[in-house]
Amino acid sequence: MNSILQKLRTVYEARPTLFAVLLITAALTIFYSNSFTADWHYDDFHHIKENINIRKISNIPMFFTDATTFSRNPQTRMYRPLLMATHAINYQVGIWTNRDGYDVVGYHVVNFLFHLVSSLLVFFITLFLFRRRIRLDGMDPALPAAFAGLLFGLQTINTETIVYISSRSSGMATMFLLAGFYFYLKATQDQETTSIRFLPLALSTFMYLCGFLSKEIAVTLPGMIFLYEIFLNRRWMEGRSLPAIMTNLTIRLAPYGVVLVGILYTRLQIYGENLASRFTEKGGTQAAADWVSQLATQSRAVVFYIREWFLPTGLSIDKPFQVTRSFSDGKVLLSCLVITLIVAAALRYWKKHPLITFGVLWFFLALLPTSLFRLNVVINDHRLYLPGFGFVLVFTYVVAKLYLRFRSDGGWYFKTFITICLTILLFMGLGTFKRNMAFATEETIWKDVILKDRNSVRGYNNLGIYYEQNGDFDRALQHYQRTIKLAPMFPNPYINVGNVYHKKKGYENAEKWMKRAIQLDPKSALANYNLGNILREAGKTEEAIGAYKTALKYNPRYIEAANNLANIYFKERKYPEAIQYYKQALFIDPTFAMSYYNIALAYENLGQPAVAIANYEKFLRFWLGDRRYISLASSKMQALQKQLGGPQGN
């Protein structure tokens, strides 16, 4: 054992940076090794699995011009084109490799790689700071930098960002922001002058743009840079007047301002959004009623986040955290006091411990975007991913100072301290490994939610969906009824109850429950589509047609509604109308193979064999399902070709 440790020490002393990079990579791979087969969850379905927009690489330019491509539901608009591009690439790679665009392994691997790169960026940023800005005599900067990279990479609170596929936006935005910050450090590494290196600054600005196109939290990078200049990079300011300092800071931040203005203008043109409206709009039924309520609630959330980062226990993707109405609440007042004391202490000692001040302010600044806007989900673990870097710096700095203190004393104290540091990293890693298991399936994640909150509406509803999908209709109904009892105005469980009765062939009950859901949300394309399915099977054809058309009205991209509507017309031998809606389905997704097959059948019945053959050929090009359809389509093509060949032979 001693010989192995000696060899590792020799390697570290020879190539400390390479050793640290390999150590971080190996540790993260080990503790995330059980996450790559975790199932799809919650927002993954409308955002990725049921979102036909990601099924074509050629749609990538459209992501930059149409915010409705973010989800199956056009109303769930978000302008994150770079994020959507990665999902489209994931889907296409899955098709190329194993004919499955929704193979979760590929999506998890990409999420993990983003996290690994972020963790390595934490290492390199910390290495730079300890080499050039925070000098600790007698310590190799690679040591605290490696600790920082491992602490960020293994932090249990970060599992939601990596293992929950839909949280990729937070991982991507953080990665690009950290890269932008690192390149800025390199661009302004000369503390003695005001000179700026152009290439690193250009790369930093580009990373800022990429981060903003991944998720809006990247907007905070200029603020991070300003804090860095004020607290860690002040030497070039010495001897200069305040106007000269402000002028130089403006020049340094100007490229980011140009990107910010450009992005905001683009969002206004494409998304129809401006920041003023975001401050006044309520982002969902569960969001705070007004801005005062939002700030009061988020003050409690900030303290909750601090506790979670330092003690990541009881984690859940659906936390029982209630909205607070005003600042008169005792918990809000206590939270505001805690926040004030933390910030005041950090500012009080900024000259003596500037890295602590910078880290604390980074944490609070990174939380601002999600704290100011009234979002439907009040609190989420993935919102701590970017802010957590600030606490990583604070914790690493304290550990480095204690390391030097205990090393000088030597003996038992030093060994105990090293053991505690390694134990913290080990327990973080083990906590991450265990937390990954909760994401294994839909059943495990929602059972975990209900275990921690017996009144979780989403928990019962989504666990019901899991049981429904696995044919356990009785347990599904029990969970849906519990959901309705907890949230009687929430339309989703009514839709789900209707679906269960539909599967049980209880069309009357199914129709009743689906119409109740539509009463609660008349613009629900999903409820109207499901109602169409129920009415069609119940023999109420005209009503079914009306329901499908309503679904298409509220979601013109609802490919299943267009296809089913076409099927009705086909069954009624109204082939031109059927072809019209099959083509609408193909306009939505040109790879929707079954529509080509049905169009071919329609043209065959209309006596147009050449057009039918062309559509059978397209069906064969795109079909990935039951191979019996391939044989059937091939046989039909051969018969039609003979039919065409007869007159030509005469």
Side-chain angles (χ1 to χ4, degrees), residues 562-580:
N563 191 70
N564 287 3
L565 184 54
N567 287 340
I568 290 179
Y569 286 124
F570 186 94
K571 187 176 180 180
E572 294 184 338
R573 300 181 184 275
K574 296 179 180 179
Y575 299 121
E577 291 88 346
I579 291 170
Q580 173 191 341

Side-chain angles (χ1 to χ4, degrees), residues 435-496:
R435 180 66 184 151
N436 292 339
M437 296 178 183
F439 287 88
T441 68
E442 278 284 271
E443 183 179 27
T444 57
I445 195 64
W446 296 113
K447 278 189 172 180
D448 177 75
V449 167
I450 293 172
L451 179 66
K452 293 161 183 173
D453 177 16
R454 293 294 180 182
N455 293 314
S456 172
V457 173
R458 292 187 184 91
Y460 286 104
N461 186 64
N462 288 289
L463 190 54
I465 292 174
Y466 171 82
Y467 290 131
E468 178 190 335
Q469 291 174 342
N470 285 273
D472 193 344
F473 297 141
D474 291 338
R475 293 179 75 181
L477 286 173
Q478 290 174 9
H479 284 78
Y480 293 147
Q481 295 291 356
R482 174 65 173 166
T483 307
I484 291 170
K485 185 177 180 180
L486 290 169
M489 301 305 290
F490 183 39
N492 289 31
Y494 295 92
I495 295 174
N496 296 333

Side-chain angles (χ1 to χ4, degrees), residues 33-34 118 148 156 158 169 201 228 278 300 326 331-332 382 452 463 475 514 563 571 590:
S33 61
N34 64 335
S118 294
T156 307
N158 290 338
S169 56
L201 184 64
Y228 166 73
R278 287 296 301 273
R300 290 175 46 234
S326 71
K331 292 181 180 179
V332 174
H382 66 257
K452 293 161 183 173
L463 190 54
R475 293 179 75 181
M514 206 61 66
N563 191 70
K571 187 176 180 180

